[in-house]
Amino acid sequence: MSTNKNTESDAVLIGAGIMSATLGLLLKELNPKATIEILERLDSAAQESSDAMNNAGTGHAAFCELNYTPEKNGVVDTTKALNICEQFEESRQFWSYLVKKNIIQAPKSFVNTVPHMSFVWGEENVTFLRNRFQALKKQPLFAAMEYSEEAVTIKNWAPLIMEGRDSKDKVAATHMNLGTDVNFGELTRQMIKHQVNQDGVNVSFQTEVYDLKRTKDNKWNVFIKDLKTGQKRTITTKFVFIGAGGASILLLEKSGIPEGKAYGGFPVSGQWLVCEDEKLAEQHFAKVYGLASVGAPPMSVPHLDTRYVNGKKSLLFGPYAGFSTKFLKTGSYWDLFKSISTGNIGTMVGAGLDNMDLTKYLISEVMASEDKKVEALKKYFPNAKKQDWRLEIAGQRVQTMKRNKEGKAELAFGTEVVNAADGSLAVLLGASPGASTTVNIMLKLIAKCFPNEYKSAEWQEKFKEMIPSFGLKLNDHPELLNELRAETSKTLELKY
């Protein structure tokens, strides 16, 4: 087994998913002379969390996701929903920029207009949805939202969810025509394909990062192995981004940075029910989100979706959560055990004890038969028939376990970036809404890891070219919001 000579690069991005693909493009647009290495363990891009069947495919804009608007004492908190909606608008603008520059092509191959709906039943839930609608409708970002408790109107929006339902059921729904279905796998592959052909960018598949260590001059040595030939080599770099999905937690531990010492990960797997019956698919045109079960992680919020995968329209329902000790769909059953260290075992035990309802929920999901899964589907599609649906393994997510500001162990939902103090290394952890807000996540990462360049007039000007609303809250600028939504809809071939 031979070892190649050490090479150097300005940046090493680990994982060829939507995060690394976006960061690589941003860095290259900001600094065309930059040299970048993108490393992927599998044989092509976007096979884990970014893949169509491993991802909800919802352009998460907070139009339909009820867990983004918690209610306390009758008051709906819209803060998270507004933030996520703002962030998705940035993603739309960046994708539009990439299409205009011919960096990616055929927008319909990765993004399509699909209305977003929230649907609930029962007096208490209807009251919540009504309160949510009234709180969001006041905001320019959500001004186009519609609400109804009328069965006829809801049936017009999404026929399948009302057919066969008891007419005495009290139901309510919201509807947003601005919703999207996004194939993040296809989008990622187009982004990576462009970068393969860029000067100064090297993309290596079937290449595993088995270790990384800081050098005396505060650079990083990234130790990699070619899984085809067994050859090993080392890349020395000023900056490392670890965007390796669930496996990021293992590489964070290998880095040894003190900022990551107490972090742990709790893996959650999933399944979809998939229907490819063309007649049924044509009767449903929406992403319909409901309320999560008590104790369920955010990735398990049930939804009945229109999906476009490889140009074909189908229906998905789920996801059904499960448990596996793997950190990746293609990972090892030893991943969870390898991640336990003296630095994080207290965090993991503490967070686990505080989330026994999640443990009970996952056990019940794992034990559920296919008939039970179909029964859950029938709450959203009363006339569903088991023979029209098949089970599909969904992606693997790792929920972050960490210490909060008070030092208490907690299970953190959402997406989080852990940075080395000097900005030389950044690690992405967590799950939803992840992919939809990638552009905003990467902008914040760049601000922390490249602070001087970020503040420069040259980079600020380029940010505004790529993302016209950069530095602004569109909710505070309704005219600009409408202008940019119309412009990006035209470029991305979306209805507006």
Side-chain angles (χ1 to χ4, degrees), residues 59 61 63 85-99 104 110-113 177-180 182 436-437 439 466-468 474 481-496:
F63 295 153
C85 196
E86 291 274 5
Q87 291 168 23
F88 185 67
E89 293 294 331
E90 290 179 332
S91 292
R92 281 179 55 132
Q93 291 169 57
F94 183 61
W95 301 339
S96 181
Y97 168 81
L98 297 179
V99 170
I104 56 177
F110 68 86
V111 61
N112 287 274
T113 299
N177 265 325
L178 293 171
T180 50
V182 185
S436 299
T437 59
V439 174
M466 296 187 290
I467 302 137
L474 284 173
L481 166 64
N482 290 329
E483 178 187 323
L484 289 176
R485 275 183 170 170
E487 184 182 321
T488 57
S489 294
K490 184 177 179 180
T491 306
L492 298 174
E493 301 176 19
L494 301 169
K495 293 177 184 176
Y496 179 67

Side-chain angles (χ1 to χ4, degrees), residues 344-379:
N344 68 16
I345 190 166
T347 303
M348 295 177 75
V349 170
L353 290 172
D354 267 2
N355 287 275
M356 291 305 293
D357 54 348
L358 172 60
T359 305
K360 291 174 185 174
Y361 170 77
L362 291 175
I363 291 170
S364 69
E365 287 280 280
V366 169
M367 300 298 289
S369 64
E370 190 169 345
D371 286 338
K372 283 279 186 183
K373 290 177 168 66
V374 174
E375 284 303 311
L377 164 64
K378 286 184 175 182
K379 293 177 182 177

Side-chain angles (χ1 to χ4, degrees), residues 26-305:
L26 283 169
L27 291 176
K28 199 65 175 169
E29 289 295 300
L30 291 162
N31 179 11
K33 294 180 181 178
T35 55
I36 300 171
E37 289 266 1
I38 300 176
L39 309 171
E40 170 57 51
R41 188 175 63 91
L42 301 178
D43 59 9
S44 63
Q47 289 194 57
E48 283 284 349
S49 298
S50 303
D51 184 67
M53 284 301 181
N54 296 341
N55 190 290
T58 302
H60 285 293
F63 295 153
C64 57
E65 303 89 340
L66 300 177
N67 54 313
Y68 297 161
T69 47
E71 184 180 40
K72 191 172 182 180
N73 300 323
V75 178
V76 174
D77 184 353
T78 61
T79 307
K80 186 174 183 178
L82 290 170
N83 286 338
I84 289 172
C85 196
E86 291 274 5
Q87 291 168 23
F88 185 67
E89 293 294 331
E90 290 179 332
S91 292
R92 281 179 55 132
Q93 291 169 57
F94 183 61
W95 301 339
S96 181
Y97 168 81
L98 297 179
V99 170
K100 286 177 181 177
K101 286 202 68 176
N102 204 35
I103 290 172
I104 56 177
Q105 298 85 34
K108 279 194 173 296
S109 67
F110 68 86
V111 61
N112 287 274
T113 299
V114 174
H116 285 191
M117 291 178 61
S118 300
F119 177 67
V120 299
W121 56 88
E123 191 73 47
E124 185 178 340
N125 294 337
V126 168
T127 299
F128 161 67
L129 191 63
R130 189 188 306 124
N131 291 342
R132 178 182 185 270
F133 167 72
Q134 289 168 351
L136 289 174
K137 182 74 174 175
K138 299 171 187 174
Q139 308 296 336
L141 285 165
F142 295 85
M145 181 177 278
E146 300 174 89
Y147 173 83
S148 182
E149 295 176 24
E150 299 296 325
V152 174
T153 302
I154 298 171
K155 187 174 181 177
N156 185 52
W157 289 337
L160 296 186
I161 68 173
M162 295 306 293
E163 288 176 4
R165 192 171 296 278
D166 191 328
S167 60
K168 295 176 183 176
D169 286 352
K170 188 159 183 62
V171 295
T174 55
H175 185 269
M176 279 289 276
N177 265 325
L178 293 171
T180 50
D181 171 69
V182 185
N183 184 334
F184 288 103
E186 178 60 27
L187 174 60
T188 301
R189 285 186 285 273
Q190 289 197 33
M191 287 176 160
I192 294 290
K193 183 180 178 181
H194 172 79
Q195 290 174 84
V196 165
N197 298 315
Q198 281 187 298
D199 289 339
V201 180
N202 185 47
V203 181
S204 302
F205 293 109
Q206 289 187 278
T207 301
E208 185 170 55
V209 176
Y210 64 89
D211 205 357
L212 63 162
K213 288 197 176 357
R214 199 189 281 272
T215 66
K216 291 178 181 178
D217 55 353
N218 286 325
K219 292 183 179 179
W220 288 91
N221 279 334
V222 181
F223 302 96
I224 65 176
K225 178 181 178 180
D226 186 316
L227 297 176
K228 301 188 296 289
T229 66
Q231 279 192 335
K232 293 182 178 181
R233 65 185 175 100
T234 305
I235 307 171
T236 301
T237 184
K238 293 176 280 188
F239 172 72
V240 178
F241 169 65
I242 302 176
S248 291
I249 196 80
L250 298 171
L251 290 172
L252 170 61
E253 290 176 354
K254 285 181 182 292
S255 75
I257 61 170
E259 294 81 2
K261 188 177 180 182
Y263 278 83
F266 185 84
V268 180
S269 62
Q271 291 180 322
W272 299 107
L273 278 175
V274 181
C275 173
E276 292 171 335
D277 184 300
E278 292 180 11
K279 289 182 180 178
L280 279 177
E282 284 305 314
Q283 294 177 59
H284 184 82
F285 185 57
K287 289 182 179 289
V288 181
Y289 272 59
L291 285 163
S293 302
V294 175
M299 70 165 282
S300 300
V301 172
H303 43 103
L304 178 63
D305 290 3

Side-chain angles (χ1 to χ4, degrees), residues 108-110 112 183 186 307-314:
K108 279 194 173 296
S109 67
F110 68 86
N112 287 274
N183 184 334
E186 178 60 27
R307 293 294 302 269
Y308 290 93
V309 180
N310 300 324
K312 186 175 180 181
K313 187 178 176 184
S314 60

Side-chain angles (χ1 to χ4, degrees), residues 306-469:
T306 295
R307 293 294 302 269
Y308 290 93
V309 180
N310 300 324
K312 186 175 180 181
K313 187 178 176 184
S314 60
L315 299 180
L316 265 71
F317 178 78
Y320 301 95
F323 176 76
S324 165
T325 53
K326 289 182 179 183
F327 278 2
L328 292 168
K329 195 172 177 180
T330 58
S332 163
Y333 287 109
W334 290 102
D335 287 343
L336 176 59
F337 306 107
K338 285 191 290 185
S339 76
I340 300 170
S341 68
T342 53
N344 68 16
I345 190 166
T347 303
M348 295 177 75
V349 170
L353 290 172
D354 267 2
N355 287 275
M356 291 305 293
D357 54 348
L358 172 60
T359 305
K360 291 174 185 174
Y361 170 77
L362 291 175
I363 291 170
S364 69
E365 287 280 280
V366 169
M367 300 298 289
S369 64
E370 190 169 345
D371 286 338
K372 283 279 186 183
K373 290 177 168 66
V374 174
E375 284 303 311
L377 164 64
K378 286 184 175 182
K379 293 177 182 177
Y380 290 84
F381 176 12
N383 288 344
K385 296 175 183 174
K386 181 180 176 181
Q387 61 266 29
D388 294 330
W389 299 77
R390 61 177 172 80
L391 272 174
E392 174 90 21
I393 301 297
Q396 188 80 6
R397 299 290 186 272
V398 177
Q399 303 295 159
T400 306
M401 294 168 146
K402 65 175 188 176
R403 298 280 177 179
N404 61 22
K405 291 177 182 177
E406 290 75 43
K408 185 177 184 296
E410 65 179 13
L411 189 63
F413 297 111
T415 310
E416 181 168 354
V417 177
V418 180
N419 297 281
D422 63 356
S424 64
L425 181 138
V427 186
L428 185 92
L429 303 174
S432 180
S436 299
T437 59
T438 299
V439 174
N440 182 270
I441 293 167
M442 292 301 114
L443 290 175
K444 289 175 180 174
L445 182 152
I446 291 169
K448 285 186 177 180
C449 297
F450 303 88
N452 295 328
E453 296 95 327
Y454 180 87
K455 293 171 187 172
S456 70
E458 185 183 358
W459 279 33
Q460 288 286 307
E461 185 180 343
K462 189 64 181 179
F463 285 133
K464 287 171 185 172
E465 180 189 347
M466 296 187 290
I467 302 137
S469 70

